[in-house]
Amino acid sequence: MRAELMAVAALAGGGAAALGVSACGSSSSSNKSASSAVVSTPTTTTTAPAAPPKPTTIKVTVSGATVTIRLATLGFNYCRANPRTCAAVKSSQLNLLTKNQRNAVKAAQKKVKADEAAANQPAPAPAPAPQPAPAPAPPPSSGGGTTTG
């Protein structure tokens, strides 16, 4: 009974502990049963399928040309310098980016949208040419000269 109790306690502690505990103070016949109990227990650890590694680059199409962006360089500085490239990042690619990179892409998309809206507005009408100032009227003259006196 005591050997069975030790084997159960050892199984709870792990397989390596089971061999060490059952060997102390028990007969060789109980060693066989304890070790067979350790071998016959199924392991419940399951390995999850390995996720594919995160890519280091993404490809976007800008004005018909494919541009490769290194994810390590994508940020606010890059998007300020290349707003059209950042704005071309697809929504399906956003899950590959960090929160900061997503914010930079969204800011670039807003900037490109504002630039396009400004470009599509008609040019303001030119200001009318200023009217020339009328010539000053000559002072009225009174028939002769001035009289003094």
Side-chain angles (χ1 to χ4, degrees), residues 3 5 9 24 33 41 44 49 56 98 100 103 105 115 148:
L5 220 72
C24 294
S33 65
T41 56
T44 58
T56 57
T98 64
N100 187 42
N103 289 338
V105 168
D115 288 348
T148 56

Side-chain angles (χ1 to χ4, degrees), residues 49-135:
K54 188 175 177 182
T56 57
T57 61
I58 57 174
K59 293 186 179 187
V60 297
T61 304
V62 183
S63 302
T66 302
V67 179
T68 302
I69 305 171
R70 287 188 58 225
L71 293 179
T73 62
L74 184 65
F76 275 98
N77 287 337
Y78 181 86
C79 287
R80 276 190 211 108
N82 307 293
R84 291 205 179 277
T85 305
C86 280
V89 173
K90 297 176 188 167
S91 61
S92 62
Q93 295 170 322
L94 290 178
N95 62 346
L96 302 173
L97 307 178
T98 64
K99 183 71 173 166
N100 187 42
Q101 289 172 327
R102 274 182 249 141
N103 289 338
V105 168
K106 287 177 187 174
Q109 289 170 341
K110 281 184 182 179
K111 180 176 178 7
V112 168
K113 194 173 187 180
D115 288 348
E116 287 176 355
N120 289 341
Q121 289 181 353
Q131 295 290 334

Side-chain angles (χ1 to χ4, degrees), residues 1-12 14-41:
M1 176 72 174
R2 182 176 174 191
E4 290 174 10
L5 220 72
M6 292 178 105
V8 170
L11 285 175
L19 293 175
V21 172
S22 64
C24 294
S26 64
S27 67
S28 63
S29 65
S30 65
N31 267 349
K32 289 180 182 177
S33 65
S35 64
S36 66
V38 169
V39 172
S40 65
T41 56

